[in-house]
Amino acid sequence: MRTTFAPMEGITIYCYRNAHHKIFGEGIDYYYTPFLSVYKHHAIKKRDMREILKENNLEKGVKIIPQIMTNKADEIIWALRELKSLGYDEINLNMGCPVGTVVSKDKGSGMLREPDRLYEIFSEVFEDEITEQVKFTVKTRLGLSDPHEFENILPVLNKFPFDEVIIHPRVRTQMYKGTPDMEVFRWAYENSKNPVGYNGNIFTVDDYKKIVEEFPDLEEIMIGRGLVSNPALAREILTGKEINIEEIKEFMDELQVRYKDEIFSDDSIMHKMKEIWFYVGNLLEKKDGTEADTYIHKIRTSKNVSEYRNAVRTVYKECRIKNSL
């Protein structure tokens, strides 16, 4: 069973992945890229190409799985061939993104609207020999609005030899809120003819252990927001070693340096860092044991780089890791 870092659009770009692997890579088997948009003229968006270029993924030991976003069989086939030519032997198709602009184009979780259309797409894809040359996986939700929609989706997926079906047991309308439907997930786990992976709501070691105990034959456990919130979570799962404030500083400093490879404005880097602090800030409390929200708020509301740096220095001086972690 492998542990993987889920893709998070706008966050887990190559700068982030390389910084994370350097400081907290222990316990991560693979990093997924944010989705690569594939166009009808058979091309990947130039901005997305940065995620798969070898020169951007040279950090020793980083293993990357590209994730593609398209709903056309010919585009899937082209992307599998193109990514194989770039040296990738496993590619994932996004059938789970819940964002409205994606779903309205029948991409991401919008693909789940018509199971019969899924059958047509994958019938054509698996006729091509490329599916025998690379590992082809899908990441899906249970449906658009009702988790029992998956009772019509899984039989379609079962007709094809996917290397893995990764299931986020929410529906599109839930976005990332509410409780994953573990009853329907268990049904899928027990009835899938393909290996199954799990994604959703893993924020602690206990969350991870509970999934492993209940579903011991999973192919992988994919963690997204839990790892962005606690970058050391995979290491803690593997070794028991918890994060400390010095490591947070080391990681955030490394991340800021790495962002300069992609983002040339200090103000823009600051805004990107503030987004990361939104998640990481939940690890912290004041040294007297009270909430650190006021300090994190000052980081998040900094109006310029100078204010941001002062707010960050205050956090490192006045805060510690929460005792409850």
Side-chain angles (χ1 to χ4, degrees), residues 22-85:
K22 181 178 179 180
I23 310 300
F24 296 114
E26 191 173 11
I28 299 291
D29 295 301
Y30 288 90
Y31 293 81
Y32 285 81
T33 70
F35 64 76
L36 314 172
S37 296
V38 181
Y39 291 118
K40 61 183 178 182
H41 53 279
H42 292 171
I44 293 173
K45 187 185 295 186
K46 184 177 180 180
R47 185 188 68 186
D48 293 346
M49 284 297 296
R50 67 189 181 186
E51 300 301 329
I52 53 175
L53 293 175
K54 290 298 184 182
E55 57 263 35
N56 290 340
N57 293 285
L58 294 177
E59 192 68 35
K60 185 177 180 181
V62 177
K63 295 180 180 179
I64 303 298
I65 299 175
Q67 183 183 84
I68 59 174
M69 173 78 79
T70 178
N71 61 0
K72 301 287 195 307
D74 66 302
E75 293 172 3
I76 294 172
I77 292 168
W78 174 84
L80 295 180
R81 290 174 176 165
E82 179 70 9
L83 290 165
K84 181 179 184 295
S85 75

Side-chain angles (χ1 to χ4, degrees), residues 102-133:
V102 171
V103 175
S104 66
K105 298 174 184 176
D106 293 327
K107 297 181 179 181
S109 57
M111 292 181 71
L112 306 177
R113 185 175 284 117
E114 297 182 61
D116 289 344
R117 175 62 182 143
L118 282 182
Y119 178 78
E120 293 174 5
I121 292 169
F122 293 130
S123 291
E124 185 175 342
V125 169
F126 279 96
E127 283 180 357
D128 196 281
E129 63 183 10
I130 189 62
T131 55
E132 299 175 3
Q133 300 170 10

Side-chain angles (χ1 to χ4, degrees), residues 98 109 141 143-146 149 170-177:
S109 57
R141 288 187 174 230
L144 290 176
S145 59
D146 183 341
E149 292 173 40
R170 285 187 173 94
V171 293
R172 182 261 161 174
T173 52
Q174 286 181 281
M175 300 297 284
Y176 297 97
K177 298 178 181 178

Side-chain angles (χ1 to χ4, degrees), residues 5 8-13 15-17 19-20 24 225 227-231 248 251-253 255-256 259 263 268-284 296 299-300 308 312 316:
F5 202 142
M8 292 185 66
E9 185 67 13
I11 294 180
T12 59
I13 64 174
C15 308
Y16 181 98
R17 296 194 304 267
H20 183 273
F24 296 114
R225 290 174 298 152
L227 270 167
V228 178
S229 299
N230 178 1
I248 291 179
F251 175 59
M252 298 302 264
D253 288 349
L255 190 54
Q256 190 158 319
Y259 277 143
I263 306 169
S268 296
I269 291 174
M270 175 189 72
H271 289 300
K272 184 62 73 174
M273 295 298 298
K274 286 161 70 171
E275 186 177 13
I276 305 301
W277 276 109
F278 171 79
Y279 291 94
V280 174
N282 293 315
L283 290 171
L284 304 174
I296 304 303
I299 291 177
R300 298 272 296 156
Y308 168 78
V312 169
Y316 293 143

